[in-house]
Structure formats: C-alpha cells, structure tokens
Amino acid sequence: MNQPASEKLADEPQSSRDALLDAALELFLEQGFAATRVEDIAARAGVSKGTVYLYFSTKRELFGAVIESGVVERIARAEDLAAGFSGSVTDLLATMLRDNLLEFWDSRSSGILRLIVAEAKQFPELAESFYGEVTGRARQLLARVLQMGVDRGEYREIDVDYTARCILNALDFEIVIAHSLERAREQDFDPQRYIETLIDLILAGVSAKPAQGSSL
C-alpha cells in the first residue's frame, strides 16, 4: 500500500534532518570542524545548501546537534536507566558500562571526542561546550551512582568525584587512541574484554568487602 502524500510530507523534515546529521558527522570526522563546509555537508546529504539553513542557522549549531544526537542522548538514556533501576548499584554500574558504553564504542559518534581534542585550541568554545554537555554530565552521573553505592553500604567511603574522573579518563583515553592512532593500534584489542577488566578493577577498589583471598 502506498504511503499517503500527507504522511510523506510529514516524514521528509525528519529524514532530511537525519541525513544532514549523518553527513555532518562523517565530514567532521574526516576533515575536522574548520575544514568542513556547509555546502559539502549538503552535498553529502543529498540536499541543497539552503535546506541546511532550514534546520540549522550556523555550522556551529549543526555541530551541536551532531553531539546532541550522537552523545548527549546516550547520556540521557543512562540517566533514565539509573533513575529507574531496581537492582544493586553494582549491577547498575556494570549495566551502564557494558550496554551503553559498548554500543557507543561501536558507533561513529565515538570519534567526536578525538575531534574535540584536535579542535580545542582553535575552537575553545567547542571544547568548553562539549565538556559541560558531555564530560561533566557523564562524570556527575557516574559520581551519583558511586555515591548510591556508598550510601547503601555496597561500597566503602571513597572520593566519588575523583573515582568517577579516573574511570572516565580510562574510557576516554581508549576512545581517543582508537580514533587517533587507528593504524598503529593493536589489531586484537577487545572492547568487551577491556570493559570487563575495568569493571573488575572498579569493584575491587570500591567494594565495602575485601575480595576473597585479600589480606586487607
């Protein structure tokens, strides 16, 4: 059955916007923010340059939308997961890292962090915005989860803010390396194994009870 014309018209704005976001992400990662032109994004998306400005007033606004759809929305989903989770804090932490992070690593959006680092000196406002919307927000979420573990007696008294910082730094470093030194990186790197090892290290460090066999 053919889609009614009215429905097609309703679908077009969203499909055009999505195509622009996909094209912009590809070009930003390939060429950098400064070198990417709006007309190139339009051509990659298969629309006119004027169409870009129907949705985004500037290239900077388009870049912000790319970050919103590729990264910020994932953090929002993790926040929703934490708010409604009924299991132990350890299960929540492991679920956040296994499910949300592994899916993010497999996405093209994971290259945005490397792009921000590369462009930070020339466009400090981009780095500042990213820090507030992504890095700071993710760190606050992780700190809240760790504090829940402390409050419930699952975790010992720790500096939750700096523990969250250490965890995210370990994750961010791997992401930046993956996109900056792709050719030189080990071909046998296993993200799942990395996450499981990181979870093990986190729990060994924050658990209220010493691990079996520990003399502490």
Side-chain angles (χ1 to χ4, degrees):
M1 182 177 179
N2 292 331
Q3 186 181 25
S6 59
E7 292 184 14
K8 290 182 180 180
L9 290 173
D11 289 343
E12 282 182 7
Q14 186 60 47
S15 62
S16 295
R17 188 178 189 278
D18 290 344
L20 286 168
L21 291 176
D22 289 342
L25 174 59
E26 291 175 359
L27 286 169
F28 286 143
L29 295 181
E30 291 171 11
Q31 303 175 174
F33 179 79
T36 298
R37 304 181 306 169
V38 171
E39 51 263 44
D40 295 332
I41 295 173
R44 179 72 65 93
V47 300
S48 68
K49 182 179 178 180
T51 300
V52 178
Y53 294 110
L54 292 176
Y55 301 97
F56 311 102
S57 59
T58 63
K59 184 173 72 169
R60 173 64 183 83
E61 184 179 323
L62 174 54
F63 185 72
V66 167
I67 294 175
E68 175 73 24
S69 64
V71 186
V72 176
E73 288 181 4
R74 286 183 166 88
I75 297 175
R77 290 198 295 270
E79 290 171 337
D80 290 342
L81 173 66
F85 202 82
S86 59
S88 69
V89 176
T90 292
D91 287 343
L92 170 60
L93 182 61
T95 298
M96 288 172 57
L97 291 174
R98 287 187 184 120
D99 295 349
N100 296 351
L101 189 61
L102 283 173
E103 188 272 336
F104 175 64
W105 274 9
D106 284 339
S107 73
R108 288 178 300 173
S109 296
S110 62
I112 292 175
L113 178 58
R114 192 276 307 165
L115 174 62
I116 291 294
V117 172
E119 301 277 13
K121 187 173 183 179
Q122 185 175 2
F123 299 99
E125 72 280 4
L126 294 182
E128 183 177 353
S129 178
F130 184 88
Y131 183 87
E133 296 174 7
V134 177
T135 304
R137 185 170 171 179
R139 187 181 295 162
Q140 290 171 4
L141 171 60
L142 186 52
R144 289 199 301 271
V145 171
L146 292 170
Q147 187 63 55
M148 285 170 54
V150 174
D151 294 342
R152 295 183 185 183
E154 290 185 44
Y155 302 152
R156 63 184 179 83
E157 289 291 336
I158 57 174
D159 185 330
V160 295
D161 291 330
Y162 270 77
T163 300
R165 181 184 292 265
C166 289
I167 294 170
L168 287 178
N169 284 350
L171 297 170
D172 288 348
F173 176 80
E174 283 296 333
I175 290 175
V176 171
I177 288 296
H179 289 275
S180 301
L181 305 174
E182 187 172 356
R183 293 182 179 178
R185 194 177 186 212
E186 319 95 294
Q187 296 301 308
D188 61 347
F189 178 76
D190 183 348
Q192 178 75 50
R193 184 177 174 185
Y194 184 84
I195 292 298
E196 295 300 331
T197 301
L198 182 61
I199 291 172
D200 184 62
L201 288 172
I202 294 169
L203 296 181
V206 304
S207 177
K209 297 180 180 179
Q212 290 185 348
S214 172
S215 59
L216 297 179

